[in-house]
Amino acid sequence: MKYAIQKSSGEYKLFNHPRKAFILIALICLSCSVFAQNVKPYAVDLSNLPASNGKTVTYNKASKTFTVKGDAEEWKGISFYPAGGIDVSNYNIVRIKYNVPGDYGFHLGLDYEDDSISGLDEETYCPSYLTEMVIPLIPGQKKLKGINFSGTWYTEYEQFSVQSITFENVSNPQRTNINASDEAPVIDAATKGTFNDSLTAWDFVQTLGAGYQYQSFSFNATELDFGMDFYHPWGEPKLTKQFIDFVRNKGFTTLRLMFNPGHHFVDDKHTIDPRFIKELKQATDWAIEDGMNVILCGFFWGTQFRPDYNPARVRYEGIVANEKYQKQGEEFLTAVWKQIATAFNNSYDERLIFETLNECGDDLHPEHNHNPQENCAVCKKDFGIINRYNQVILDTIRATGGNNAKRFVMVESYGASLDALCSKSFKLPKDKAKNKLIPTFHAYLMGSVPENMKMFYTQGLKNNVSRIFSQLDKCYFSKHIPVYISEIGTLRATHLLEKINYVNDLMAEANKKGRSCATTHHFDGGFSSGDPGPTIRYYNGKTMTWEQSEYLDSYIYAARGERFPLSDEFIKKNEVKVSSIVGKNLLESPLEIKDFDKSFGLNPDLLVRSVPSKYKLELTVEKLSSESILQIGFVDAGGKWHELVTEKNVSVKGGTVKDGWCISVNDGTVTIAIDEKLAVELESAQSIGIGGKNVRIKSVKIVE
């Protein structure tokens, strides 16, 4: 039975007449449309904008042009806040018409009266390649305090002009899709191409030399959608041939391009925006023209699983190694790699390499994400999923034929860790081509973030370098399988001569006879300044100059089996002199701990070259109850936690080892003997922690 609506005595009733119902609904829709058309747009009078914000932005009222100058990381904007605000109760969109002469657009901010609305939900990026944006207003909001225009992230200079900004009521309030594209798919049309068929992976890896990692194609933020303007969120100028020349002229011979089309899908079928692939192709072509090798590495992080991801603000697609999402992950990888392999085929010889994944893990299994455990049931399944992903990617690449049927492919394990690569759970995919697969992993032995940055190249780290290659000898080199370390790096703040010694040793191990191994050095993007900062950033993208050039030269020389000559003056200037800390109280003030609620973190770097080869850790303590205990432990270079009292040859005085992991103490002094082997481990640890229960720690000292 179909029903229509009939009004009687001020009320609406149902009646069964479908034709009348259709007419009534049509009239309602028509009246709504007429209402929308009859609402006069509100045009913002741009002449009311101030001529300057007093520091970083000027506004030319005649040309309606904004000029932005200032520090790359500060907010650079001008605001319009009329008295009484802006009444938007009759409107559902704001339309802005603009022009951008440069590479980057700008931000339009709508400051709603409702302070509970997130600042990111009030902000829209207007990309450089469009001239008009339609932005739906947040439903139910009646007033804006004002609007603002600001330059984009991490740029020091730009200009943009705004012709008009109007509030309107339209029948279909849809946001402008800045990722929409009507361009044809990118297809490598060459029917045949050159390729060194006789070259094996073992021999090929030894020709790769020093690698440079460029990361702007891997942008995957959750804050805002920047469309094709994806360089500046990394703090980069738009990529140019000049920059590729800059990298090649330094001595780098391989370019690793991580690509992440996560923001650049134009439909629900995983179709990548052709403009994105064209940009990737252009960068590849520039490098190939310079005689470089190029690694195209898939970077498909599961950003959409982050708690702060808002699909209304940013549309994103990625994968995780998780049983629940495996099927869609395989569909995703098949679609993406088919498009990449189709766009890069016969026109490219063996110097173009594909790399399957980049640090793929299980974001839904956070306790072991990127650090899988063999004894974990979830991790075992995830290993199988990673193996399957690699097989799907390889099969997809090979199926496109041509040079891709024999192209070298780098294969990464769970989380890009060495232990995962050498795990019995990891399997290289089956390949129709012979001797074309290259296992790969990442190694940041001196730290990749400030929290685990190493200032010194210690004996423990040196031992760890040797251990890594001994492990590779057993798992791969002895089987005549090469290995590529597709990311290494050190932070700029690390002592210069220390990391030069480290990289010399690392590359010397890689180049030893009986091994086939090469590396890529990771670089953070950004405009670097005189402050080294906690970044892996050794160039200034604005001035095209290198920072700490001796370190980079040392890496490049070492990658080809040579030693870069450092002057005596340089060595003398950069040698780090360390004073003894023996007998000094390392605790600034007494620490009172009730129930593991506080702890003292001892920086392992303090123990480097400042203490004897063996020593005692001495703590002066005071009991706060009848049961007072100390807990002392460390996280080793591999990320594993150790209770200090369980280590070999450790002896304790002034307290009793309790339950095999802590020390029951009395008032007075507790000493723990540290032998030579443990001393090396401690100075190379990621962290050392001292905590407890019902105890006051008065001092912490190293004594002989």
Side-chain angles (χ1 to χ4, degrees), residues 121-156:
D121 289 331
E122 295 179 321
E123 191 169 341
T124 298
Y125 178 74
C126 302
S128 63
Y129 50 87
L130 295 181
T131 58
E132 179 177 314
M133 282 284 292
V134 172
I135 305 152
L137 299 174
I138 297 177
Q141 296 298 312
K142 296 182 179 180
K143 184 176 286 189
L144 296 177
K145 297 177 185 176
I147 59 176
N148 59 71
F149 307 86
S150 61
T152 196
W153 295 358
Y154 308 126
T155 53
E156 294 179 326

Side-chain angles (χ1 to χ4, degrees), residues 673-688:
I674 308 295
D675 67 7
E676 290 93 336
K677 186 175 180 180
L678 183 54
V680 169
E681 274 201 75
L682 288 176
E683 70 177 17
S684 302
Q686 292 185 19
S687 62
I688 301 171

Side-chain angles (χ1 to χ4, degrees), residues 394-434:
L394 182 65
D395 291 346
T396 301
I397 291 169
R398 297 293 187 233
T400 59
N403 283 351
N404 288 340
K406 51 193 174 183
R407 190 170 304 287
F408 292 108
V409 177
M410 294 180 173
V411 182
E412 194 181 274
S413 184
Y414 195 128
S417 77
L418 172 64
D419 289 342
L421 193 71
C422 292
S423 164
K424 62 183 179 181
S425 298
F426 173 70
K427 307 294 181 185
L428 283 171
K430 295 179 180 179
D431 192 9
K432 295 179 180 179
K434 187 177 180 181

